């Protein structure tokens, strides 16, 4: 086979065969196919698309390009969750303990934040002592003891995605539905859980800018999951507004604890209760009719908060922060950002809010950047609210006050005001089964 012929065929809109896909992925991972040819192929895929069959096969070839986790030594149905990424998205910190408290098992591998989006591993590392690099035996021990564990991706898992994602990032080929679906699902399948719940975000802070695009991605990923023999569902949720009030690592851990105490912002609580209910149904821990009630009981009884404390302790972290979240270190410079206008907040460009938080030190612009774990933003006003000139919109936290002016500018640029009240936005669009 010659890569140039495969590129030519894809350029003309032909489907790649399973053999061609296998040959291309293994050749690329081994270094036999150069980046310039793979770049041309990726761009051809962006323009010509892929059939469902091609996308499923690409996913399987990517999954099989490296190590896979066998979770069968952990009793029970293992349920995973994946968010396509957003701003203020601390749902894993809330949902995984709820599921564990209801008898589910969550053995989760998570990522770090990059650009405007946050990552669960960074949030957890804001807890003093918390270890995210566990070996297999330790990982399994924590899941068996606490019901849940969250670690960073280990070993040589899905090397095809590592190489392809890095290439897509610099060749403007990220926003292509078959490439996103195969990238996400290859990692989820390699991570070994029996059931997978996908939280597909849509809006200005998400990859998928419209609910229609999100729906296409969700349907494709659910189909891939089913064809690979996994129980899979997707919930399409709003990321046209940051989730909750807190953006930034330690600030988000604090807010997650509030929700697990039955407090915290209503939007975050509602999304988490929906995700947790679906995970319980997928994991066989609840029926459709009683899942929500089980979630409520896990929160109200304190069992979910105890599950989080147990995971933190078992992963080497200081679990006293779960009962005393004020012990989590927040950055010392606190700047109150005030509105320069009066009116209704009509829209918050959520990517802009995420970038503002990144500028404060809460995120990375490059993989190698170090984080200021206590940096970030606490929103006082969100889309739909009435604001008077001079009122506080948000408090910005950082350890370096020189970062405040650029972060304020980015934040204010992200806001649109309107003279009239607008209808409330949809929080949860659809469940895809
Ligand atoms: N997240 C991924 O893991 N891959 C993509 O392609 C996009 C988002």
């Amino acid at each position: 086979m010659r890569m140039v012929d495969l590129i030519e065929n894809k350029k003309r809109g032909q489907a790649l065969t399973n053999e061609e896909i296998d040959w291309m992925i293994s050749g690329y991972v081994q270094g036999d196919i150069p980046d310039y040819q793979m770049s041309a192929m990726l761009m051809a895929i962006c323009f010509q698309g892929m059939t469902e069959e091609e996308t499923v096969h690409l996913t399987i070839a990517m999954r099989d390009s490296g190590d896979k986790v066998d979770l069968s030594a952990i009793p029970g149905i293992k349920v995973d969750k994946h968010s396509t990424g957003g701003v203020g998205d601390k749902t894993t910190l809330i949902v995984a303990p709820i599921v564990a408290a209801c008898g589910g098992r969550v053995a989760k591998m998570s990522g770090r934040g990059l650009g405007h989006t946050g990552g669960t591993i960074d949030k957890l590392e804001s807890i003093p002592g918390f270890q995210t690099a566990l070996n297999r035996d330790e990982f399994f021990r924590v899941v068996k003891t606490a019901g849940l564990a969250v670690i960073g991706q280990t070993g040589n898992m899905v090397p095809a995605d590592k190489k392809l994602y890095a290439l897509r990032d610099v060749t403007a080929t990220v926003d292509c539905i078959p490439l996103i679906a195969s990238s996400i699902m290859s990692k989820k399948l390699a991570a070994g859980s029996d059931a997978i719940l996908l939280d597909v975000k849509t809006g200005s802070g998400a990859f998928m800018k419209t609910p229609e695009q999100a729906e296409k991605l969700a349907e494709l990923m659910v189909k891939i999951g089913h064809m690979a023999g996994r129980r899979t569902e997707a919930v399409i949720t709003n990321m046209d507004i940051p989730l909750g009030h807190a953006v930034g690592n330690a600030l988000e851990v604090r807010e997650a604890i509030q929700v697990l105490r039955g407090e915290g912002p209503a939007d975050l609580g509602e999304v988490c209760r929906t995700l947790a209910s679906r995970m319980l149904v997928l994991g066989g821990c609840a029926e459709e009719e009683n899942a929500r009630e089980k979630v409520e009981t896990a929160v109200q009884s304190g069992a979910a908060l105890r599950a989080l404390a147990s995971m933190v302790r078992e992963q080497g972290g200081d679990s006293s922060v779960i009962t005393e979240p004020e012990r989590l270190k927040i950055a010392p410079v606190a700047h109150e950002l005030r509105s320069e206008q009066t009116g209704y907040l009509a829209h918050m460009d959520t990517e802009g809010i995420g970038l503002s938080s990144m500028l404060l030190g809460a995120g990375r612009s490059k993989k190698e950047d170090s984080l200021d774990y206590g940096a970030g933003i606490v929103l006082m006003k969100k889309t739909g609210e009435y604001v008077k000139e001079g009122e506080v919109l948000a408090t910005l936290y950082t350890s370096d006050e020189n970062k405040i002016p650029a972060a304020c500018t980015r934040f204010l640029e992200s806001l649109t005001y309107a003279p009239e009240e607008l209808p409330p936005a949809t929080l949860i669009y659809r469940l895809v089964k």
Side-chain angles (χ1 to χ4, degrees):
M1 262 183 238
R2 294 191 321 153
M3 186 64 180
V4 66
D5 298 327
L6 270 57
I7 298 168
E8 182 67 36
N9 292 345
K10 182 45 78 183
K11 186 180 83 181
R12 293 175 189 282
Q14 288 173 23
L16 300 170
T17 65
N18 292 353
E19 293 70 34
E20 285 170 342
I21 291 171
D22 288 342
W23 177 84
M24 176 176 81
I25 292 300
S26 72
Y28 184 56
V29 171
Q30 283 159 24
D32 299 335
I33 295 172
D35 280 350
Y36 55 80
Q37 284 192 310
M38 188 52 90
S39 305
M41 174 58 86
L42 292 170
M43 193 56 85
I45 292 172
C46 284
F47 283 117
Q48 294 290 0
M50 283 187 128
T51 64
E52 252 169 47
E53 197 193 340
E54 277 180 292
T55 312
V56 171
H57 202 79
L58 175 63
T59 309
I60 302 298
M62 288 170 69
R63 176 197 70 185
D64 294 344
S65 66
D67 300 341
K68 284 171 277 184
V69 185
D70 176 1
L71 296 174
S72 57
I74 301 169
I77 298 175
K78 276 70 66 182
V79 198
D80 201 351
K81 161 199 172 280
H82 180 83
S83 156
T84 56
V87 177
D89 182 2
K90 66 282 291 174
T91 53
T92 293
L93 304 177
I94 300 163
V95 164
I98 294 176
V99 172
C102 296
R105 291 292 165 263
V106 184
K108 183 156 172 50
M109 291 185 175
S110 284
R112 295 188 184 277
L114 189 62
H116 74 281
T117 63
T120 304
I121 291 298
D122 295 330
K123 297 176 215 259
L124 285 167
E125 284 180 352
S126 71
I127 300 172
F130 194 93
Q131 300 302 312
T132 56
L134 304 186
N135 64 32
R136 176 192 173 279
D137 291 350
E138 275 294 285
F139 181 40
F140 284 21
R141 183 192 63 74
V142 178
V143 181
K144 286 180 191 168
T145 314
L148 73 161
V150 182
I151 62 169
Q153 230 185 55
T154 52
N156 183 38
M157 277 180 68
V158 200
D161 184 62
K162 286 199 187 97
K163 279 193 85 172
L164 283 170
Y165 197 85
L167 191 61
R168 287 168 59 209
D169 209 21
V170 292
T171 55
T173 53
V174 169
D175 61 344
C176 165
I177 287 179
L179 296 179
I180 296 175
S182 53
S183 165
I184 293 174
M185 290 306 288
S186 58
K187 288 176 285 200
K188 290 290 107 185
L189 297 178
S193 283
D194 309 290
I196 303 163
L197 181 70
L198 301 159
D199 178 6
V200 180
K201 304 278 185 201
T202 179
S204 55
F207 274 112
M208 299 291 108
K209 301 296 178 202
T210 66
E212 292 74 28
Q213 286 175 329
E215 198 160 317
K216 266 195 198 157
L217 177 65
E219 282 172 355
L220 184 56
M221 292 197 292
V222 167
K223 204 162 274 173
I224 295 170
H226 290 164
M227 288 175 94
R230 310 291 171 92
R231 301 179 191 185
T232 311
E233 285 184 5
V235 184
I236 299 173
T237 63
N238 190 344
M239 190 38 74
D240 205 36
I241 178 170
L243 194 53
H245 293 143
V247 182
N249 301 295
L251 291 167
E252 292 193 39
V253 174
R254 281 212 313 208
E255 191 167 76
I257 294 168
Q258 279 179 359
V259 175
L260 287 173
R261 283 176 167 174
E263 304 154 11
D267 61 343
L268 177 62
E270 179 54 29
V271 169
C272 288
R273 282 167 170 79
T274 302
L275 296 175
S277 303
R278 294 321 306 169
M279 284 175 80
L280 290 183
V281 174
L282 277 175
C285 300
E287 303 300 325
E288 297 277 348
E289 313 76 65
N290 66 357
R292 188 82 184 197
E293 191 186 318
K294 284 198 164 187
V295 168
E296 287 305 335
T297 307
V299 174
Q300 298 309 330
S301 66
L305 194 63
R306 287 194 292 280
L308 177 64
S310 172
M311 175 185 78
V312 168
R313 195 167 44 247
E314 296 300 328
Q315 291 194 225
D318 176 3
S319 60
S320 69
V321 302
I322 306 301
T323 38
E324 297 166 69
E326 53 292 344
R327 288 170 58 106
L328 279 164
K329 239 175 102 200
I330 304 304
V333 180
H335 176 83
E336 289 187 334
L337 177 57
R338 291 174 189 275
S339 178
E340 293 170 351
Q341 300 180 44
T342 294
Y344 287 94
L345 268 184
H347 188 243
M348 304 177 94
D349 175 58
T350 303
E351 183 170 345
I353 306 289
L355 289 172
S356 171
S357 173
M358 187 190 90
L359 291 172
L360 292 164
R364 305 179 180 81
S365 56
K366 297 186 299 301
K367 262 194 206 149
E368 327 50 81
D369 290 349
S370 59
L371 293 183
D372 179 357
Y373 286 107
I377 298 172
V378 175
L379 301 167
M380 306 295 170
K381 298 283 181 186
K382 287 181 64 172
T383 309
E385 289 185 55
Y386 186 71
V387 193
K388 283 196 188 134
E389 187 185 337
E391 258 192 291
V392 178
L393 291 164
T395 307
L396 276 51
Y397 294 92
T398 180
S399 300
D400 177 358
E401 62 184 330
N402 297 321
K403 293 184 169 166
I404 294 282
C408 286
T409 304
R410 198 74 188 78
F411 189 102
L412 291 173
E413 281 169 1
S414 308
L415 307 183
T416 310
Y417 289 79
E420 318 255 299
E421 196 170 0
L422 295 153
T426 306
L427 190 57
I428 296 166
Y429 288 93
R430 226 197 102 187
L431 173 66
V432 179
K433 290 193 196 193

